[in-house]
Amino acid sequence: MFNATHMILRFYLYSFFKNLRFADPFLILYFLELELSYSEIGLLLGLQHLVTVLLEFPSGIFADHWGRRRATALCFAFYTLSFCGFGMTGQLTEVPVIFWLGGCLALFALGEALRTGSHKAIMLDYLDSTDQSALATQLLGRTRSVSKITSATAAVSGGVLLAWSRDYGLLFYLSAGAAVCGFLLLLTYPRALEGDSFRARQSTSVSSEESLRKPFRMMWQQANFRRLFIQSVLFESQLKMILKYFTQPFLKTGLALFGIPIIPPAGVSGLASAGAIWVGLNEFLRDSLGALGARFSPGYELQAGSRSHALNRIYLVGFFAVLFLAGCAVNLKWGLLPGLLLLMGLTLLQNLRRPIFVSALNTQMLKTERASVLSLESVSRAVTVAVLLPLFGLAADQFGLLAVWILAAVILLVGFLFQIRLEEVSRQESPG
């Protein structure tokens, strides 16, 4: 049915094109360059997550029924429009910058809503069809490792390009080119990977109402599933805000204490002109560690003895890392380097954890509803981020970045009420 080597290669290429985003490590710095406050940035990013929240679960159902391959291809089209829009910021002077950026982020959010859950569901469907379901953590870990290696390469390349060109627009246009390649790649996926619901609709009718009810019954009737789900939402949402939205300001503030701007004035050379390169290098190291974490995820799962033990340990270490990060923010002159090391450690933990979590979730998902359930988990994370980002931005404006780390640590404390207690779940226990 499938050529295994060719399909695995396509999964790796998908991870490559999805993460070849040269502008991503500099997005918050770009907003700060446009003289937006942390509160305004929080509102804009909250809008992005709100759009994702509104569309993500319906898009998961859409992907399960219209076709996961088609939905994932369409997401790259929206990425392309979004990146091109960012590159054109300021060219239409009659449109206020904040509204223009909001539109670009909304397009990106629409692409995210279509993508989230769909491609993981495609990979899990492929493993089922080739009788390799037991290798879920291994495949997810390896593809995530490719994603992080690509992000690392894009980050350091973007830093060099930004230091050379002093133009953020170039990074966005290069990212748009990678998104076009991703769109074309998805069109080469076989139609057999559109999903079980899509295939069933080709031969018989399926009750959409019944299809919608099954994931909810399956999830919330199982106490262990609820713990797994809630812990994941708390951990992933806090780490996303810390790593994606506040690492760049942390590094920018720290470098400024040593007289190193991100984009130096014309004529400045030497160490003082390398701010963008330092940012790119930091992202390179973090994403490289993320790739390492994803690659060793299957081995750590075996070493921990069960997925529940592995996930609980990672959560505990992550909490203390955020707590120590708050200590580093008290005095950035001595805390910058330890803080950056802690952020690298959090990236490692996040990527070590994610493949194990998806594998655990997969044992309890209906096969026909994978994209829907994965999208629902992602929606819950997006809701949390959308609600908290403006609050975190306001706290950063009023009290500095220290307030961000403290708030994140307090929220992570709640997760200890939802420790995962299930023993390793076998596939025979899966409702799928």
Side-chain angles (χ1 to χ4, degrees):
M1 182 179 179
F2 300 106
N3 184 308
T5 303
H6 289 170
M7 280 312 308
I8 296 297
L9 177 60
R10 289 179 203 179
F11 293 155
Y12 290 162
L13 283 173
Y14 162 85
S15 297
F16 176 77
F17 289 128
K18 178 180 74 71
N19 290 276
L20 201 62
R21 299 173 181 170
F22 299 93
D24 206 41
F26 305 94
L27 183 63
I28 308 302
L29 301 177
Y30 178 55
F31 290 161
L32 293 172
E33 184 77 12
L34 294 172
E35 299 183 347
L36 298 180
S37 68
Y38 285 116
S39 299
E40 290 172 325
I41 294 171
L43 287 172
L44 280 173
L45 296 173
L47 168 67
Q48 173 199 325
H49 286 280
L50 180 62
V51 173
T52 303
V53 165
L54 294 174
L55 298 177
E56 194 160 7
F57 186 57
S59 72
I61 299 169
F62 171 74
D64 279 330
H65 291 78
W66 186 62
R68 296 165 184 167
R69 177 185 67 105
R70 296 176 180 178
T72 311
L74 188 59
C75 89
F76 280 105
F78 285 109
Y79 286 157
T80 303
L81 292 174
S82 174
F83 294 142
C84 287
F86 277 121
M88 295 171 60
T89 300
Q91 293 185 19
L92 298 176
T93 53
E94 61 271 18
V95 181
V97 169
I98 195 163
F99 291 123
W100 180 269
L101 294 174
C104 295
L105 286 170
L107 286 171
F108 182 82
L110 182 54
E112 286 285 275
L114 285 166
R115 179 192 62 81
T116 306
S118 295
H119 198 265
K120 287 186 180 68
I122 288 174
M123 291 193 291
L124 295 171
D125 197 22
Y126 164 76
L127 290 175
D128 280 348
S129 64
T130 55
D131 296 322
Q132 300 179 80
S133 299
L135 300 178
T137 302
Q138 186 174 349
L139 178 60
L140 291 166
R142 287 182 176 180
T143 52
R144 191 174 182 90
S145 179
V146 172
S147 296
K148 292 302 169 182
I149 291 171
T150 305
S151 295
T153 305
V156 73
S157 301
V160 172
L161 287 169
L162 185 59
W164 167 72
S165 67
R166 292 179 167 85
D167 179 17
Y168 286 97
L170 175 63
L171 306 185
F172 288 114
Y173 290 130
L174 288 173
S175 303
V180 171
C181 294
F183 174 80
L184 296 175
L185 171 69
L186 262 294
L187 298 183
T188 71
Y189 277 36
R191 285 173 59 86
L193 291 177
E194 294 286 15
D196 290 335
S197 293
F198 173 83
R199 291 191 290 270
R201 289 178 65 244
Q202 307 307 302
S203 56
T204 184
S205 62
V206 177
S207 168
S208 59
E209 182 182 357
E210 179 67 14
S211 175
L212 284 171
R213 288 200 303 262
K214 286 179 180 177
F216 294 105
R217 289 203 308 265
M218 177 271 294
M219 288 194 314
W220 298 113
Q221 287 177 359
Q222 301 178 55
N224 287 328
F225 184 90
R226 289 196 295 272
R227 293 190 191 103
L228 177 69
F229 189 89
I230 293 171
Q231 190 192 81
S232 176
V233 169
L234 291 171
F235 187 82
E236 292 284 347
S237 63
Q238 298 315 297
L239 261 65
K240 178 163 188 175
M241 285 193 288
I242 289 171
L243 297 174
K244 189 172 180 63
Y245 302 128
F246 289 101
T247 294
Q248 296 168 34
F250 179 78
L251 183 56
K252 179 179 185 290
T253 304
L255 289 175
L257 293 176
F258 295 95
I260 304 175
I262 301 301
I263 298 183
V268 174
S269 60
L271 199 61
S273 67
I277 295 176
W278 283 114
V279 174
L281 183 60
N282 174 63
E283 293 294 320
F284 173 82
L285 293 173
R286 284 204 311 111
D287 284 326
S288 296
L289 282 172
L292 206 61
R295 186 67 182 85
F296 290 129
S297 188
Y300 178 70
E301 179 185 304
L302 291 174
Q303 183 273 330
S306 74
R307 287 173 181 149
S308 58
H309 292 157
L311 293 170
N312 285 331
R313 288 178 189 175
I314 291 170
Y315 194 95
L316 179 65
V317 175
F319 167 75
F320 280 108
V322 174
L323 211 55
F324 293 145
L325 189 59
C328 293
V330 173
N331 186 333
L332 267 183
K333 280 213 167 181
W334 67 262
L336 179 61
L337 182 57
L340 292 175
L341 292 174
L342 286 168
L343 289 166
M344 290 179 189
L346 285 170
T347 304
L348 177 69
L349 290 173
Q350 184 187 42
N351 289 278
L352 186 67
R353 178 194 175 279
R354 190 65 186 173
I356 300 172
F357 166 74
V358 175
S359 295
L361 196 65
N362 183 45
T363 61
Q364 303 187 40
M365 284 192 293
L366 293 167
K367 294 179 182 179
T368 57
E369 306 296 340
R370 279 172 172 154
S372 305
V373 175
L374 287 167
S375 290
L376 184 60
E377 187 264 342
S378 185
V379 162
S380 301
R381 287 188 280 122
V383 168
T384 307
V385 172
V387 170
L388 292 178
L389 259 178
L391 174 63
F392 274 48
L394 184 62
D397 280 334
Q398 297 297 318
F399 307 106
L401 293 176
L402 173 62
V404 171
W405 316 135
I406 293 175
L407 281 173
V410 169
I411 292 169
L412 284 172
L413 266 177
V414 179
F416 290 109
L417 300 175
F418 301 96
Q419 289 290 286
I420 302 167
R421 298 170 186 168
L422 56 104
E423 295 301 321
E424 187 67 30
V425 181
S426 69
R427 292 195 175 270
Q428 286 72 27
E429 294 171 329
S430 167

